[in-house]
Amino acid sequence: MSAVVDSHGHDHHDHHDHHGGYSGLMRWVTTTNHKDIGTMYLWFSFMMFLTGGAMAMAIRLELFQPGIQFFNPDLFNQFITMHGLIMVFGAIMPAFVGFANWQIPMMIGAPDMAFARLNNWSFWLLPFAASLLIISFFTPGGAPGVGWTLYAPLTVQMGVGMDLTIFAVHLLGMSSILGSINIITTILNMRAPGMTLMRMPLFVWTWLITAYLLVAAMPVLAGAVTMSLTDRHFGTSFFNAAGGGDPVLYQHIFWFFGHPEVYIIALPAFGVVSQVIPAFSRKPLFGYASMVYATSAIAILSFIVWAHHMYTVGMPVTGQLFFMYATTLIAIPTGVKVFNWVATMWKGSLTFETPMLFAIGFLFLFTLGGFTGLVLSLVPIDIQLHDTYYVVAHFHYVMVAGALFAAFAGVYFWFPKWTGKMYDETLGKWHFWLTMIFFNMIFFVQHFLGLAGMPRRIPDYPLMFETWNKISSIGAFGFGLTQLLFLYIILKAIRSGEKSPEHPWEGADSLEWTHLPTPAPYHSFENPPVLK
Amino acid sequence: MNAEQARDQAQENWRTLTRLSIVAAGMFGFGFAMVPFYKAFCDAVQINSLVERDAAPTNTQVDASRLVTIEFDANVRDLPWRFRPLTGYLQVHPGQLVQVEYEVSNARATPVTGQAIASFGPELAGRYFKKLECFCFSQQTLAAGETRRMPVVFLVDTTLPADVNTITLSYTFFEVAGKS
Amino acid sequence: MKSSKLARTIATCWAAIIGLAISGSALAIEWNLRPAGSKLAEDIHTLHEDVMILVTVIFVGVFGFMFYAIFAHRKSVGHKAAQFHENTLVEILWTAIPAVILVLIALPTTRTVIAQKDTSNPDLTIKVTGYQWKWGYDYVKGEGEGIKFISTLATPRAQIENQEPKGEHYLLEVDNELVVPVGKKIRILTTAADVIHSWWVPSFGAKQDAIPGFIRDLWFRPEITGTFRSQCVELCGKEHGFMPIVVRVVTQDEYTKWVGDQMKLIAASADDPNKQYTLDELAQRGEKVYGTICAACHQPNGKGLPPNFPPLDGSKTVLGPKADQITTVLNGRPKTAMQAFAPQLSDVEIASVITFTRNHWGNKVAGADGIVQPGEVKALRDKK
């Protein structure tokens, strides 16, 4: 199966279907096949990753030296806002939805997702929404320059680009909610006989829990941005003291969504890593049941910690203490998961192909990010670090070295199953090591910037921050170029990669590896597998 | 699976979808419900009784053993008004009925209506600050060029915690649109 | 990966880290929180150090196990996989022990949290107002009450635009610093005039969001004299990075002297409203006011940044009747970013800046319409 959106001749085996009767572009527009849709999500997310990444390059270019060299402060604010929105909603979330689409039916022995046509619509909302975000740059006043968190009342001052962004957020949310309903229904109702919930691969478990988080949290974001929209245009005063409202109310509503959102991003990453580490340790995942309970605990706790993003708004002491205690609590199930992964590796028989390298990189660096999160959870320390580069470093460790590394691990891991070809292992290792080194160059030094007092979201800075900013920017340019290497690896493998063996990974034991050929057929498990 | 099983499956799927859609819609409503929840929470802990008259307390005993400093602050937002407290600060006994005045002047050549919103520092002090008369209870319309003195009658509740002895009462006047 | 290659890679990484650390101290790169200037900040330093030691120990411990497994439990050295995947005792221990550790961290932290909130009995109360894009300081109670001024970035635009070399306190210098006496409990009331800003002095561990329509309070007690510099710390629009906070802590005697000087200045700049100034006097003063107050939006070249910030060069309002421009500056334009400057600027300042705009760039308003005297501004400000 070609994973590329064009109709170059693909060299095929004989169960090449007629793909629903269409060929070329129309095949992709009309497909209801979970594998096709997964492919589209993954390519879309990669294109968004490069777009958001280009904005990051622009940001780090301006921040290379003190002074304003390239972009005026207003445009800079637009870049940081769109970088955040595109990466969160356009890149990392759709990437994991792509994994969900490809993998969940195969891993539970189902022929496809529960609502195949809804699945198609859920995807096609995304390019439309992404276009709105990009178009906002070209409206009078440009894209909104308010930060991805869209705080009121700054958002009330923005031009029509803000309204386009609100519309885009609604569409992105709609796509996620519909996709999640699909995922939950599929997992609950369409498992093969004998696949009890506690026999499901952990990747499926993490997506089940994530989908519930999405259904609960995304609509709240829709509510928050709708209130901003009516405050902007329809005379309401949700966030305006003049009419009896309160700007802090926006923050409460936003972060009620915002905190579960970061677990929505992290949990599928945990799921991927929970498939990869046992496979390359040739040993079962340690503590399967605890992993399920820990993931559920994280999901539930994620709803009661939101105001740790707001310690400095002036909330009463009792509030600060409550959120501090609840936030430190989340460290416990997260720690349990880290210990379980290490225990899985312990006394295994380890090999270090590219998927495993990324999974180990995830383990090491996500935990580092988790520790800086613990530091930030403590109110007195957060008073010093809130809205500084320490926070930027923290969330890039967990989102990039966490979620993105896990996504890379998943792509390298499942690539043979999807395409029947192997990627170049040497190049894959280069991709890993360069990404690893450049990532840390960008973000490790940002901890020091935050401690030293550099605020977030500024295009220019006092002289004492220059050295770290230079190093960070150099790392960024290297990191960006390295991801082009990834693109090359994938394209090269699709076009001319070696044929993959049936079982490329000795320790991989979920249904797609044990019960399906490599590559997986266009329609798989039309009859459910028999599970012993 | 056969046709009957497929039909059952589809039905089960639709049932699940309906339930989840109701949850999603409910969470959207919850986002909006957070607005009255927020207000109810603030009322319950009495953080932000912005413009409501407080019930005259039945116990009007004055606690002469302690003094509390009340500071008076004034702000104007997008209004062509001059707004200032006539007294910068006062020392009062909890339970003591006090009156102070603020002065407002309209510099515009047309009548302007404004609404004052109160805010307290520390926030929790608002719970113990009882406003019996306040220009913030209603919108104030000033004629062109008019200057007016407006009273606030208040008392500090005797249950004010012992470790709070400075309270700042701050008003911000906003223009009421459509009235000018 | 062969073990010698692995070992070499690890050695290279360590060499790089150590090299960076050494060069760091040589270059005086900033690694840590700003030196503490108050007991609260000192407590925060200690808490941070303790937590860092704790997490480093746990991190090294846990990943010691992982790296050992990577080294010793490799297939390439012939290690065969064990098949265990449960151990209830171990799992209980590694759930309970972190829980205990977290409680031990939370206890001393709670004490500091509660101490941070106690704003009672201040010696001096100062109201801080965040504007787009400057700070306003009002001494409302205590020695110096009645002093009020605006504190704006003093770094010249030419430095920001790389036309001049940058000064030592680039982006951390203001025209009017906040002056407070050492050893006294300072209570700060924050509010904002437009959007959310945030006021912060790292050396004192004092940070509070400035929220429009509300006041919030915080306190700090500076224990050492000196000048402490910081920046606005909540995104508030395009000049968010250009509104620094500078606090100068002085001895009690120096403070009393400063208060006296400020009071004299206030009296002196209660300029005689009937005084008549020349065009040159007004335009010169107006140019300074323009650069500090107006140029951020209307730009030094008067061309603005349409559509949000209209040009003044060739503007109908600037070239038209004086009363219109005066009332616009006094009262602002609702629903736009043009604020009412009546509270911030005196009659002389407004008269000067309007005169400047009417006689600069391509504008040259002739005769009496090209000069505005402070008395005209006063009349419109107090219009009866």
Side-chain angles (χ1 to χ4, degrees), chain A residues 345-346 348 350 352 360, chain C residues 1-4 6-7 10 63-79:
Chain A
M345 291 169 70
W346 186 256
L350 306 171
F352 303 102
I360 295 176
Chain C
M1 187 179 250
K2 300 206 200 68
S3 68
S4 60
L6 180 66
I10 293 174
F63 290 101
F65 275 99
M66 187 185 85
F67 283 115
Y68 182 78
I70 288 176
F71 181 70
H73 301 158
R74 282 174 288 153
K75 181 174 178 193
S76 58
V77 299
H79 193 270

CSV table of all heavy atoms in Angstrom, one decimal, chain A residues 345-346 348 350 352 360, chain C residues 1-4 6-7 10 63-79:
chain,number,residue,atom,x,y,z
A,345,MET,N,12.4,-3.2,30.9
A,345,MET,CA,13.7,-3.4,30.3
A,345,MET,C,14.6,-4.3,31.2
A,345,MET,O,15.5,-5.0,30.7
A,345,MET,CB,14.4,-2.0,30.1
A,345,MET,CG,13.7,-1.2,29.1
A,345,MET,SD,14.3,0.5,29.2
A,345,MET,CE,16.0,0.3,28.5
A,346,TRP,N,14.4,-4.2,32.5
A,346,TRP,CA,15.3,-4.9,33.4
A,346,TRP,C,15.3,-6.4,33.2
A,346,TRP,O,14.3,-7.0,33.2
A,346,TRP,CB,14.9,-4.6,34.8
A,346,TRP,CG,15.8,-5.1,35.9
A,346,TRP,CD1,15.6,-6.1,36.7
A,346,TRP,CD2,17.1,-4.5,36.3
A,346,TRP,NE1,16.7,-6.3,37.6
A,346,TRP,CE2,17.6,-5.3,37.3
A,346,TRP,CE3,17.8,-3.4,35.8
A,346,TRP,CZ2,18.8,-5.0,37.9
A,346,TRP,CZ3,19.0,-3.2,36.4
A,346,TRP,CH2,19.5,-4.0,37.4
A,348,GLY,N,15.8,-7.9,30.5
A,348,GLY,CA,15.3,-8.3,29.2
A,348,GLY,C,16.4,-8.7,28.3
A,348,GLY,O,17.5,-8.9,28.8
A,350,LEU,N,17.8,-6.9,25.3
A,350,LEU,CA,17.6,-5.6,24.6
A,350,LEU,C,18.3,-5.5,23.3
A,350,LEU,O,19.5,-5.8,23.2
A,350,LEU,CB,18.0,-4.5,25.5
A,350,LEU,CG,17.4,-4.4,26.9
A,350,LEU,CD1,18.1,-3.3,27.7
A,350,LEU,CD2,16.0,-4.1,26.9
A,352,PHE,N,18.6,-2.3,20.1
A,352,PHE,CA,18.5,-0.8,20.1
A,352,PHE,C,18.2,-0.3,18.7
A,352,PHE,O,18.9,0.6,18.2
A,352,PHE,CB,19.6,-0.1,20.7
A,352,PHE,CG,19.9,-0.6,22.1
A,352,PHE,CD1,20.9,-1.5,22.4
A,352,PHE,CD2,19.0,-0.1,23.1
A,352,PHE,CE1,21.1,-1.9,23.7
A,352,PHE,CE2,19.2,-0.6,24.4
A,352,PHE,CZ,20.3,-1.5,24.7
A,360,ILE,N,13.5,4.9,24.5
A,360,ILE,CA,14.4,5.2,25.6
A,360,ILE,C,14.6,6.7,25.8
A,360,ILE,O,14.6,7.2,26.9
A,360,ILE,CB,15.8,4.4,25.4
A,360,ILE,CG1,15.5,2.9,25.5
A,360,ILE,CG2,16.7,4.8,26.5
A,360,ILE,CD1,16.8,2.1,25.2
C,1,MET,N,24.5,-0.9,19.1
C,1,MET,CA,25.7,0.0,19.1
C,1,MET,C,26.8,-0.7,19.9
C,1,MET,O,26.6,-1.2,21.0
C,1,MET,CB,25.3,1.3,19.8
C,1,MET,CG,26.4,2.3,19.7
C,1,MET,SD,25.8,3.9,20.5
C,1,MET,CE,25.6,4.9,19.1
C,2,LYS,N,28.0,-0.8,19.4
C,2,LYS,CA,29.1,-1.5,20.1
C,2,LYS,C,29.5,-0.8,21.3
C,2,LYS,O,29.3,0.5,21.4
C,2,LYS,CB,30.3,-1.6,19.2
C,2,LYS,CG,30.0,-2.4,17.9
C,2,LYS,CD,31.3,-3.0,17.4
C,2,LYS,CE,31.2,-3.3,15.9
C,2,LYS,NZ,31.1,-2.1,15.0
C,3,SER,N,30.0,-1.5,22.3
C,3,SER,CA,30.2,-0.9,23.6
C,3,SER,C,31.3,0.2,23.6
C,3,SER,O,31.2,1.2,24.3
C,3,SER,CB,30.5,-1.9,24.7
C,3,SER,OG,31.7,-2.5,24.4
C,4,SER,N,32.3,0.0,22.7
C,4,SER,CA,33.4,1.0,22.7
C,4,SER,C,32.8,2.3,22.1
C,4,SER,O,33.1,3.4,22.6
C,4,SER,CB,34.6,0.5,22.0
C,4,SER,OG,34.2,0.2,20.6
C,6,LEU,N,29.7,3.2,22.2
C,6,LEU,CA,28.8,3.8,23.2
C,6,LEU,C,29.6,4.5,24.2
C,6,LEU,O,29.3,5.7,24.6
C,6,LEU,CB,28.0,2.6,23.8
C,6,LEU,CG,27.0,3.0,24.9
C,6,LEU,CD1,25.9,3.9,24.3
C,6,LEU,CD2,26.4,1.8,25.5
C,7,ALA,N,30.7,3.9,24.7
C,7,ALA,CA,31.5,4.5,25.7
C,7,ALA,C,32.0,5.8,25.3
C,7,ALA,O,32.1,6.8,26.0
C,7,ALA,CB,32.6,3.6,26.2
C,10,ILE,N,29.4,8.5,25.2
C,10,ILE,CA,29.0,9.0,26.5
C,10,ILE,C,30.1,9.9,27.0
C,10,ILE,O,29.9,11.0,27.6
C,10,ILE,CB,28.8,7.8,27.5
C,10,ILE,CG1,27.6,7.0,27.1
C,10,ILE,CG2,28.7,8.3,28.9
C,10,ILE,CD1,27.4,5.8,27.9
C,63,PHE,N,17.5,6.1,36.6
C,63,PHE,CA,18.1,5.9,35.3
C,63,PHE,C,19.5,5.2,35.4
C,63,PHE,O,20.0,4.6,34.4
C,63,PHE,CB,18.2,7.2,34.5
C,63,PHE,CG,16.8,7.6,34.1
C,63,PHE,CD1,16.1,8.6,34.7
C,63,PHE,CD2,16.2,6.9,33.0
C,63,PHE,CE1,14.8,8.9,34.4
C,63,PHE,CE2,14.9,7.2,32.7
C,63,PHE,CZ,14.2,8.2,33.3
C,64,GLY,N,20.0,5.1,36.6
C,64,GLY,CA,21.1,4.2,36.9
C,64,GLY,C,20.6,2.7,36.5
C,64,GLY,O,21.4,2.0,35.8
C,65,PHE,N,19.5,2.4,37.0
C,65,PHE,CA,18.9,1.1,36.7
C,65,PHE,C,18.8,0.9,35.2
C,65,PHE,O,19.1,-0.1,34.6
C,65,PHE,CB,17.5,0.8,37.4
C,65,PHE,CG,17.6,0.4,38.8
C,65,PHE,CD1,17.5,1.2,39.8
C,65,PHE,CD2,17.8,-1.0,39.0
C,65,PHE,CE1,17.6,0.8,41.1
C,65,PHE,CE2,17.9,-1.5,40.3
C,65,PHE,CZ,17.8,-0.6,41.4
C,66,MET,N,18.2,1.9,34.5
C,66,MET,CA,17.9,1.8,33.1
C,66,MET,C,19.3,1.7,32.3
C,66,MET,O,19.4,0.8,31.5
C,66,MET,CB,17.2,3.0,32.6
C,66,MET,CG,16.8,2.9,31.1
C,66,MET,SD,16.0,4.3,30.4
C,66,MET,CE,17.4,5.2,29.9
C,67,PHE,N,20.2,2.5,32.7
C,67,PHE,CA,21.5,2.4,31.9
C,67,PHE,C,22.2,1.1,32.2
C,67,PHE,O,22.9,0.6,31.3
C,67,PHE,CB,22.4,3.7,32.2
C,67,PHE,CG,21.9,4.9,31.4
C,67,PHE,CD1,21.4,6.0,32.1
C,67,PHE,CD2,21.9,4.9,30.0
C,67,PHE,CE1,21.0,7.1,31.4
C,67,PHE,CE2,21.4,6.0,29.3
C,67,PHE,CZ,21.0,7.1,30.0
C,68,TYR,N,22.1,0.7,33.4
C,68,TYR,CA,22.7,-0.6,33.7
C,68,TYR,C,22.1,-1.7,32.8
C,68,TYR,O,22.8,-2.6,32.3
C,68,TYR,CB,22.5,-1.0,35.2
C,68,TYR,CG,23.2,-2.3,35.5
C,68,TYR,CD1,24.6,-2.4,35.7
C,68,TYR,CD2,22.5,-3.5,35.6
C,68,TYR,CE1,25.2,-3.6,36.0
C,68,TYR,CE2,23.1,-4.7,35.9
C,68,TYR,CZ,24.5,-4.7,36.1
C,68,TYR,OH,25.1,-5.9,36.3
C,69,ALA,N,20.7,-1.7,32.7
C,69,ALA,CA,20.0,-2.7,31.9
C,69,ALA,C,20.5,-2.5,30.4
C,69,ALA,O,20.7,-3.5,29.8
C,69,ALA,CB,18.5,-2.5,32.0
C,70,ILE,N,20.6,-1.3,30.0
C,70,ILE,CA,21.1,-1.1,28.6
C,70,ILE,C,22.4,-1.7,28.4
C,70,ILE,O,22.7,-2.2,27.3
C,70,ILE,CB,21.1,0.4,28.3
C,70,ILE,CG1,19.6,1.0,28.2
C,70,ILE,CG2,21.8,0.7,27.0
C,70,ILE,CD1,19.5,2.5,27.9
C,71,PHE,N,23.3,-1.6,29.4
C,71,PHE,CA,24.6,-2.1,29.3
C,71,PHE,C,24.7,-3.6,29.4
C,71,PHE,O,25.3,-4.3,28.6
C,71,PHE,CB,25.5,-1.4,30.3
C,71,PHE,CG,26.9,-1.8,30.3
C,71,PHE,CD1,27.7,-1.5,29.2
C,71,PHE,CD2,27.5,-2.6,31.2
C,71,PHE,CE1,29.1,-1.9,29.1
C,71,PHE,CE2,28.8,-3.0,31.2
C,71,PHE,CZ,29.6,-2.6,30.1
C,72,ALA,N,24.0,-4.1,30.5
C,72,ALA,CA,24.2,-5.5,30.9
C,72,ALA,C,23.2,-6.5,30.3
C,72,ALA,O,23.4,-7.7,30.2
C,72,ALA,CB,24.3,-5.7,32.4
C,73,HIS,N,22.0,-6.0,30.0
C,73,HIS,CA,20.9,-6.9,29.6
C,73,HIS,C,20.6,-6.8,28.1
C,73,HIS,O,19.5,-6.9,27.6
C,73,HIS,CB,19.6,-6.5,30.4
C,73,HIS,CG,19.9,-6.7,31.9
C,73,HIS,ND1,19.1,-6.0,32.8
C,73,HIS,CD2,20.8,-7.3,32.6
C,73,HIS,CE1,19.5,-6.3,34.0
C,73,HIS,NE2,20.5,-7.1,33.9
C,74,ARG,N,21.7,-6.7,27.3
C,74,ARG,CA,21.6,-6.6,25.9
C,74,ARG,C,21.6,-8.0,25.3
C,74,ARG,O,22.3,-8.9,25.7
C,74,ARG,CB,22.8,-5.8,25.3
C,74,ARG,CG,22.7,-4.3,25.4
C,74,ARG,CD,23.9,-3.6,24.9
C,74,ARG,NE,25.0,-3.9,25.8
C,74,ARG,CZ,26.3,-3.9,25.5
C,74,ARG,NH1,26.6,-3.7,24.2
C,74,ARG,NH2,27.2,-4.0,26.4
C,75,LYS,N,20.8,-8.1,24.2
C,75,LYS,CA,20.9,-9.3,23.4
C,75,LYS,C,22.3,-9.6,22.9
C,75,LYS,O,22.7,-10.7,22.8
C,75,LYS,CB,19.8,-9.3,22.3
C,75,LYS,CG,19.8,-10.6,21.5
C,75,LYS,CD,18.7,-10.6,20.5
C,75,LYS,CE,18.7,-11.9,19.7
C,75,LYS,NZ,17.9,-11.9,18.5
C,76,SER,N,22.9,-8.5,22.5
C,76,SER,CA,24.2,-8.7,21.8
C,76,SER,C,25.3,-9.2,22.7
C,76,SER,O,26.3,-9.7,22.2
C,76,SER,CB,24.7,-7.4,21.2
C,76,SER,OG,24.8,-6.4,22.2
C,77,VAL,N,25.1,-9.1,24.0
C,77,VAL,CA,26.1,-9.8,24.9
C,77,VAL,C,25.6,-11.1,25.4
C,77,VAL,O,26.1,-11.8,26.3
C,77,VAL,CB,26.5,-8.9,26.1
C,77,VAL,CG1,27.1,-7.6,25.7
C,77,VAL,CG2,25.3,-8.7,27.0
C,78,GLY,N,24.5,-11.6,24.8
C,78,GLY,CA,24.0,-12.9,25.0
C,78,GLY,C,23.0,-13.0,26.2
C,78,GLY,O,22.6,-14.1,26.6
C,79,HIS,N,22.6,-11.8,26.7
C,79,HIS,CA,21.6,-11.9,27.9
C,79,HIS,C,20.3,-12.4,27.4
C,79,HIS,O,19.7,-12.0,26.4
C,79,HIS,CB,21.5,-10.5,28.5
C,79,HIS,CG,20.8,-10.6,29.8
C,79,HIS,ND1,19.4,-10.5,29.9
C,79,HIS,CD2,21.3,-10.7,31.1
C,79,HIS,CE1,19.1,-10.5,31.2
C,79,HIS,NE2,20.2,-10.7,31.9
